[in-house]
Amino acid sequence: VGLVAADPRVLALAAQVTESREQDIPLLLLKLKGILSSTSLGSEESKKIKQDIYSYDLTQYCMLVLRQDHFRLHGGWATAAQLAEILSHCCVGLEVKEDPEEFHKKFLPSAIDNLLVLGRRLQARFIRAIKDEEKQDFLRWFQTVTDAICWLLGGHIQLAACVLQNDHFLQLLITDDVETAILMMSVLHSILKVNSSVLLQVDEETLHCVLDELVYKLSSTTNPVIGNAATKLLLVVAKFCKQLVKLLTTRYKGLKGLLTKQWTGKGFDRDLSQLLDLLFLEQSSGKGEMQRQHQAACIIQAMWRGFQTRKRLKKLPQAVTTLQRSFRAKREQELQHLKKQKEDEALKLQMELQRQRAMRLFHERQLALLKIIHASQVDKYMEEMEGKSALTIQRFWRGYRARRNFHQQRQSLKEYKAAVLIQRAVCTFLEKRRKRRSLSPWKDPKGLTDEQRLALQQKVDDYIKLHPASQMSEERSKELHMQAQEKLAQFLMRSRLDQRAAQRRETLLAQVNTDVELLMNAPGLAETTEKDLDVFTSRSVPVATKARQSHNTMLKYTHWPWWKKLGDEFMEDDVIPDDDLNAELGTLFIGGRK
C-alpha cells in the first residue's frame, strides 16, 4: 500500500504512535476502534483500512502492548481488553498480499497466545477479587477477551487446532470457578462449531485432557448451567465422529450412569437424551463383538485350567512322597525332643537324689564324729567348723566382689588400653617423621637487588676484619679431635643402651598388654578347660615353681586352725604374712569372671 493511497486517519495515527512516548501509545491505539467502526463489515473500504493498519505495524503495536504490564497502562485492564478486541477485528477480513505466510504462521499464532495469556491474568484477578464491583469488572473484561478470541477463530478457521493445543487454553478450561468456566466452554463450543474436525487434528493427549475436564465437570458439580454446557459439548463431539463416541464409552465407563442419575430433569433433557442414545447405540453395536471376545476368553481359560490340573495330577505322587517324608522327619524330631526332655528330667532327679544322699551321709558322719569326740571338745569342734564355714563364705564373697569390680572397670581398662595404643602410634609416627626430616638447603634471599647484595657483602667483610679468627696449633687440633671422638663414642654407646632399654620396655609393655587381655577374657572357674590352664601357665620354669610353692603355702595358711591365726584380726583381707608365703604374689594373675 503506497503512502498516497493510505487512509489519512491511519497515516496520522501511525505518525502519532511513532512520535509519542511509550506510555501514551495504548491510548492512541484505542482510536483504531473508531476508525474500524466508521465502515461497514466486509466492505472494500473496511478491507483497505485493515491493510493500512497492518502495513503501518499498528497491529504489531497492539500485540506488544498486550504483552506489557497492564498496571502501567492508562486505563489498566479495561484498555487491555479493548486492545484485544481491536486486534481481533483488525485480523479478521484482512488480506495480506506481501508475505502472507508470515502473517498466517507467525503473527496469528502469536496473537492467539497473547490473547490467552491476557485471559489467564484476568481470570486470576477475578478469582482473587473480593469486592463485587471488581469481580463484575474483571468478568466483563474477561468476556471481552473471550469474544475477541471467538471472533478471531471465526475469521481464521486454521487457528482452532492452535488454540486447543495451547497450554494457556487448557489452564483456562481447568478451573473450578463457575462464571469463567461457562465462558471458556462457550469458547470451546465456538471452536467445535467453526471447525468440527479439529479434535481429530490435535494429538491424543490434548483430546484426552479436554474430554477428561468435561467429564470431571459433570461429576464434580451440581450446577445445571455447567452441566448443560458440558452436555452440549459432549453431544457435539459425539455427533461429529463415531470414533469419539467409542472413546467416550471405553474411556469413561460410568458416564451413562452418571448422566442418567445426576442430570436427568435439570432442564436440558433433550440434549441429554440425544447424548445417551448415541452412547447406548455404540454400546449395543459393540455388544456382539464383546460377546465373541468373552466366549473366546472363556475357552482359553478352560484350556489353561485343564492343562494346569493335568500337570498337578502328574506331580501328585511326588508331592505325597515329599509330604510323608517331611511328616516322618517332623515326628522323629518330636520324639527325639521328648526323649531328650525325659533324659534331662531323669538326670535332674538322679542328681537331686545324689545330693540328698550326700547330705544324709554328711550329717551321719557329723553325728558319728560328735559321738566320738569328748564332750569337752564339742564346743571347740563346733567353733572350728563355724570358723571354716565363715572363711569359706568370706572367700567366696570376696571373690565375687573382686570379679564384679573388675567387670565394672573393664570398660575403663579398654579405654585406657586404646589411649595407650593411640599414644604409642602417634609417638612412633612423630619419631619417624623427625628422623626423616632433612635440613632444607640454603636458598639465596629472593628479591635482593645488586646494590643490596653488595652492601651485605661489605658488612660481612667489615665484621671479618673486626673479628679475625684465632689461630690454633696442630697439637691443640689433635687434642680437640680426640675429645670429639671420645664424646662421639660415648654418645653412640649411650644411644645403643637407650635403644636396648626402649626395646625392653616395649617388650614388657606388650607382655603386660597380653596378660591384661588374657585376664579380661578369662573364663569362669566353672567353664575352665585344660587349654585355658595352659594359657595361664608361665613359660619360665623357676617362676612356675615359685608360684606353685606360693600357692601351696597359701592353701596351708587357709587350712590353719583358728588359734594359729590369733593376732591377725587387724590385717587386711586376704593378706598372708610374707614370712609364711615368702613369694612375690604381685606378679601372679588370678583371672576369671562371675
Side-chain angles (χ1 to χ4, degrees), residues 127-145:
I127 294 172
R128 289 201 297 266
I130 300 175
K131 298 180 180 179
D132 293 336
E133 295 179 359
E134 292 182 356
K135 291 182 76 69
Q136 293 299 326
D137 292 338
F138 280 116
L139 183 61
R140 185 176 66 255
W141 297 330
F142 181 75
Q143 187 173 3
T144 302
V145 175

Side-chain angles (χ1 to χ4, degrees), residues 162-405:
C162 180
V163 173
L164 286 180
Q165 292 180 346
N166 195 299
D167 293 336
H168 299 299
F169 175 78
L170 295 176
Q171 292 294 331
L172 285 168
L173 185 63
I174 302 172
T175 180
D176 293 332
D177 183 67
V178 177
E179 289 83 355
T180 56
I182 292 171
L183 292 175
M184 288 311 301
M185 284 193 286
S186 65
V187 174
L188 181 58
H189 190 272
S190 301
I191 293 173
L192 297 177
K193 187 177 179 181
V194 170
N195 188 1
S196 56
S197 62
V198 67
L199 292 177
L200 297 180
Q201 297 175 4
V202 298
D203 55 322
E204 187 178 357
E205 184 178 358
T206 303
L207 176 61
H208 288 171
C209 287
V210 174
L211 295 179
D212 290 347
E213 182 60 24
L214 294 177
V215 175
Y216 172 75
K217 290 184 184 303
L218 287 172
S219 61
S220 63
T221 184
T222 57
N223 193 329
V225 182
I226 296 288
N228 187 12
T231 304
K232 286 183 178 180
L233 287 173
L234 290 177
L235 181 60
V236 173
V237 171
K239 281 183 178 180
F240 169 68
C241 184
K242 257 189 177 181
Q243 184 179 356
L244 297 180
V245 179
K246 187 176 180 179
L247 177 63
L248 289 174
T249 55
T250 55
R251 185 175 177 85
Y252 312 103
K253 295 183 179 180
L255 180 60
K256 296 185 292 297
L258 175 67
L259 294 173
T260 305
K261 294 178 182 179
Q262 188 169 342
W263 295 106
T264 303
K266 294 299 179 69
F268 50 93
D269 292 342
R270 182 179 177 183
D271 297 334
L272 184 62
S273 60
Q274 291 180 12
L275 179 59
L276 289 173
D277 291 341
L278 291 174
L279 295 177
F280 280 114
L281 181 62
E282 176 63 26
Q283 186 179 6
S284 62
S285 62
K287 193 172 182 181
E289 182 66 24
M290 289 291 293
Q291 288 180 355
R292 287 194 297 271
Q293 292 180 359
H294 179 71
Q295 187 177 3
C298 290
I299 294 173
I300 294 172
Q301 290 176 0
M303 295 294 293
W304 173 252
R305 292 193 187 98
F307 170 73
Q308 289 290 335
T309 304
R310 289 189 294 273
K311 186 177 179 181
R312 206 160 40 245
L313 288 175
K314 288 182 180 179
K315 292 183 178 180
L316 188 59
Q318 184 179 359
V320 171
T321 305
T322 305
L323 180 62
Q324 291 177 350
R325 188 186 304 114
S326 62
F327 174 75
R328 293 192 186 99
K330 186 176 181 181
R331 187 175 60 182
E332 184 68 24
Q333 186 177 2
E334 291 178 355
L335 292 175
Q336 291 284 344
H337 180 69
L338 291 174
K339 184 178 179 181
K340 185 177 180 181
Q341 188 175 1
K342 290 180 180 179
E343 290 178 355
D344 293 340
E345 291 178 356
L347 180 62
K348 188 184 295 183
L349 180 60
Q350 187 176 2
M351 291 178 65
E352 186 68 23
L353 292 174
Q354 289 180 359
R355 190 179 298 109
Q356 291 178 0
R357 191 179 298 113
M359 288 295 294
R360 187 165 55 252
L361 292 175
F362 174 74
H363 289 303
E364 290 178 355
R365 195 161 43 247
Q366 279 191 336
L367 289 175
L369 289 174
L370 289 175
K371 291 179 181 179
I372 296 172
I373 297 175
H374 194 268
S376 60
Q377 299 292 329
V378 171
D379 294 336
K380 182 178 179 181
Y381 175 75
M382 294 302 295
E383 288 179 359
E384 289 182 359
M385 294 301 296
E386 288 178 358
K388 289 183 180 180
S389 301
L391 288 175
T392 303
I393 294 171
Q394 291 175 0
R395 183 170 63 254
F396 277 98
W397 166 249
R398 292 187 185 113
Y400 165 73
R401 185 176 60 185
R403 287 192 296 271
R404 185 184 62 185
N405 294 335

Side-chain angles (χ1 to χ4, degrees), residues 43-57:
S43 62
E44 294 295 331
E45 186 180 359
S46 177
K47 294 181 181 178
K48 181 68 170 56
I49 290 175
K50 291 178 181 179
Q51 289 178 2
D52 293 340
I53 293 172
Y54 182 76
S55 300
Y56 285 103
D57 293 334

